[in-house]
Amino acid sequence: MKSRNWVRLFLSTLLVGGITSGIIGFILRWGEYKELFIHFDVIEILSILTWLFGVGLIFSVISQMGFFAYLTIHRFGLGIFRSYWGLVQVILIIFVLFDLVYFRYQFFAEAEEAVTSYLLVAGYVFIFALIVAMVKRRDTNKEAFIPAVFFMIVVTTIEWFPALRVNEESWLFFMLIPIQICNAYQLLMLPRFLQNKKS
C-alpha cells in the first residue's frame, strides 16, 4: 500500500477516535454537562468538546499502534505456529476473557459484591468482537473470523489496560468504546485502502 493511503488511514482513524470520544464523553457524563446545554454555554461546551476530542486523538494513536503491532504479530504467528495459529489465538482469547472477569473481580470487588458487573463487561467486549468479526468475514473470507475476534478482544484489552488499572467506571467505557470503534474501523477499512493502492 502506498504511503498516501497509509496517511489517509491514519488521519481518518484519528478523526474517528476524536469524534467518538467527543460523543461518548458527553453521553457518559451527561449528568454533569446537561446544565451547559440547558443554559447554552457555547464557550464551555466547545472547551469540553475540544478536550474530549484531544483525548480521543490519543486513544486513536494507541489503537493504531496496537493495530500495526498486531499485523506484525499475526505474521510471526503464522510463521511460527502455522496451522495451529488459529488454535493459539482461541486459547489466548479465552485466557483474556477469563482475566477480564477473574482478576478484575479479585482486585477491585468490594466485600460481597457480585461478579455480575464484571461478567457483563467481558460479555460486552466479546459480543462487540463477534459482531465486528462477522462483518469482517462477510467482507473478506471465513479465515478472517478468528484473527478478527483475537484482535478485537486481546489487542483491545491490552490497549485498554491503563483504564483497567484505574477501574473508574466512566473512564473504563470512555476509553474502551473509542478504542473499539477505532480498532473496528481499521480492521474493516484496511482492505478498502489496499484495494485503492493504485490510486
Side-chain angles (χ1 to χ4, degrees), residues 91 98 195:
I91 292 170
F98 174 79
Q195 288 170 4

Side-chain angles (χ1 to χ4, degrees), residues 12-59:
S12 61
T13 307
L14 276 180
L15 191 60
V16 168
I19 292 172
T20 303
S21 295
I23 295 169
I24 297 300
F26 274 114
I27 291 173
L28 291 176
R29 299 195 172 185
W30 179 247
E32 299 175 28
Y33 298 146
K34 65 180 178 181
E35 289 295 324
L36 299 175
F37 286 91
I38 291 171
H39 296 101
F40 202 64
D41 190 344
V42 177
I43 295 175
E44 190 68 22
I45 291 170
L46 287 176
S47 65
I48 292 170
L49 185 59
T50 301
W51 183 82
L52 293 173
F53 187 86
V55 174
L57 297 182
I58 296 171
F59 293 161

Side-chain angles (χ1 to χ4, degrees), residues 96-101 104 115-131 149 152-153 157 160 173 176 180:
V96 168
L97 287 172
F98 174 79
D99 285 352
L100 271 179
V101 177
R104 287 189 65 234
V115 73
T116 309
S117 62
Y118 300 91
L119 284 169
L120 288 174
V121 170
Y124 162 73
V125 171
F126 179 64
I127 291 168
F128 190 96
L130 286 182
I131 293 169
V149 174
M152 291 303 302
I153 292 177
T157 302
W160 188 31
F173 290 100
L176 172 63
Q180 283 182 312

